[in-house]
Every structure is written in C-alpha cells, then in structure tokens.
Amino acid sequence: GAVVSQHPSWVICKSGTSVKIECRSLDFQATTMFWYRQFPKQSLMLMATSNEGSKATYEQGVEKDKFLINHASLTLSTLTVTSAHPEDSSFYICSAIPGTSGVGDTQYFGPGTRLTVL
Amino acid sequence: GENVEQHPSTLSVQEGDSAVIKCTYSDSASNYFPWYKQELGKRPQLIIDIRSNVGEKKDQRIAVTLNKTAKHFSLHITETQPEDSAVYFCAASRGGYQKVTFGIGTKLQVIP
C-alpha cells in the first residue's frame, strides 16, 4: 500500500516551453502533497506544500508564478514548470501523506521526474 | 524554521560492521523523525521512523534512538551488508500534515 506515481519519469524540453509533471496517490487519498527538487548528490529541497482545494504554500525563494501547482483532487497534484530554462533542469520528486484525518505524518515518495531543459 | 544537521556526510564500513548516523534538530515542537534510504536515481524509501513519545525503536538490523532533551536522534545499522549502500536522510517534522525538513544526507558505502 501507499504507492505514489509520477509522470513522466523523464522529460527533455526546449528552453522557453512549459512542462507539466503529475503526481498521483494510487491506493490512498491525500489532502497534502509536497513537491521537492533534488540536485545531484544533494538533499531534497522542499519547493511547496500542495493542499487539495486550496492554494499551494511555497517555500521562500521559490517563484510561484514559475512553478504552478494544482491539487485538484485527493489523488492528483500537478507541477507545471513555466518558461523552463536550463537552470530548471533537475530531479523533481513529489510525496503524499495518506489520509484526510489522523496523525498525518508519514510521507511516501513518487519515483521522481528527471527534467532536462536544452 | 526547523534546521536539521546530519553527520557524517560519507561513511565507509566493512561488511558486517555497524554504521551510525547522527542528526540534530532545532525546533522543539518537532515530534516525528523519519529516516529515508535513497538509492541512486530512485525515490527515497522510508526505513524507520520514531515519534517523540518513544526513546528507541528497532526493526531487525535497524534501530533509531531519540533524545528530545538534547534534540538529537541517531540511526544504527548492525551487521551491514553491501545492499545497505545508499544515501540515508534523517528528517524532522511537527507531524499533522506539516512539512518535513531533511538533513543533507549520508552516503553509506559497505565494503564487501
């Protein structure tokens, strides 16, 4: 149980285009999902907290107009990188917390999306 | 906000030896402390977690200890095996669907 999927697993795009990444909780509902960015050999950097039915909460230094997050249902959150540039190339990982009530602490991670911007 | 420090950043041990990774946190309201294992190019996998009402938790060869007074927690892996080689992250959270803050990670290499 507690499986999270991401699509696509990798994407290559041209500079200036937009890319959408999907994060799905397959066997549970999640009101809260998180989006991380991970550079090679570095830790996970939280970009934003995605809450179903409300606006995402962005971490300091993360441009909300560049990284659009939509959490339209209890099983799906999307991250759109708008007008992507080479410096946006990275490994993007989502996570989700099972349940709509309860303790609400354990996060389960998706497999990640490798974005390369040419 | 929360700050989690983790050390060492790299750790090499002989197969069969024990490995210890230590973390400290700054937010006294944190009450949930998960540990994740991440193999190259893969997702972080939860290996063990501990909550603030418990001082120690063990799962086969893996154990975690928590000292709330000192604000530090540690991961202990006994009888290490080559498949334990990976990057390990400690983390801290206030729970209740709130965000988790990760340490920088420890690259563990188990030498056969």
Side-chain angles (χ1 to χ4, degrees):
Chain A
V3 178
V4 177
S5 70
Q6 268 183 255
H7 177 81
S9 56
W10 61 269
V11 57
I12 301 173
C13 69
K14 292 182 179 180
S15 185
T17 61
S18 295
V19 174
K20 180 185 283 189
I21 303 170
E22 294 185 349
C23 177
R24 293 182 184 274
S25 54
L26 299 184
D27 53 359
F28 64 93
Q29 294 184 329
T31 53
T32 304
M33 293 184 174
F34 301 89
W35 286 96
Y36 295 86
R37 186 173 179 177
Q38 188 175 35
F39 291 104
K41 299 183 180 180
Q42 293 190 25
S43 188
L44 295 104
M45 184 192 81
L46 179 65
M47 299 175 66
T49 301
S50 170
N51 295 296
E52 187 268 337
S54 64
K55 291 183 178 180
T57 302
Y58 290 81
E59 294 299 299
Q60 190 173 8
V62 178
E63 299 176 60
K64 61 180 181 180
D65 293 331
K66 180 169 184 61
F67 299 100
L68 301 178
I69 291 172
N70 186 350
H71 194 154
S73 77
L74 288 172
T75 59
L76 173 65
S77 176
T78 60
L79 169 69
T80 302
V81 183
T82 62
S83 187
H85 292 288
E87 56 266 30
D88 298 323
S89 298
S90 189
F91 192 51
Y92 292 87
I93 310 179
C94 70
S95 71
I97 297 179
T100 54
S101 62
V103 180
D105 49 22
T106 303
Q107 293 187 26
Y108 294 92
F109 284 84
T113 297
R114 175 75 57 192
L115 171 63
T116 302
V117 185
L118 302 177
Chain B
E2 175 69 278
N3 181 48
V4 177
E5 296 189 356
Q6 180 174 350
H7 62 93
S9 56
T10 60
L11 178 60
S12 291
V13 299
Q14 290 292 136
E15 182 178 356
D17 288 350
S18 295
V20 180
I21 302 170
K22 298 182 178 182
C23 292
T24 61
Y25 62 99
S26 62
D27 184 359
S28 57
S30 289
N31 57 18
Y32 175 64
F33 307 92
W35 287 86
Y36 287 88
K37 174 184 180 182
Q38 186 179 30
E39 297 177 11
L40 189 63
K42 297 190 176 181
R43 76 184 82 195
Q45 296 270 21
L46 179 72
I47 57 171
I48 195 167
D49 56 14
I50 191 168
R51 292 175 175 82
S52 59
N53 58 344
V54 176
E56 183 174 357
K57 184 176 179 180
K58 189 174 182 180
D59 183 3
Q60 298 183 345
R61 297 186 296 109
I62 295 173
V64 59
T65 59
L66 171 65
N67 183 328
K68 281 217 73 177
T69 302
K71 295 199 190 79
H72 66 71
F73 55 115
S74 301
L75 177 72
H76 304 252
I77 305 174
T78 59
E79 301 173 20
T80 54
Q81 301 167 4
E83 51 265 38
D84 294 330
S85 297
V87 178
Y88 292 81
F89 293 99
C90 64
S93 167
R94 292 186 174 189
Y97 302 95
Q98 296 194 53
K99 65 183 180 182
V100 165
T101 301
F102 285 85
I104 62 168
T106 296
K107 183 176 182 180
L108 173 64
Q109 181 184 19
V110 179
I111 303 168

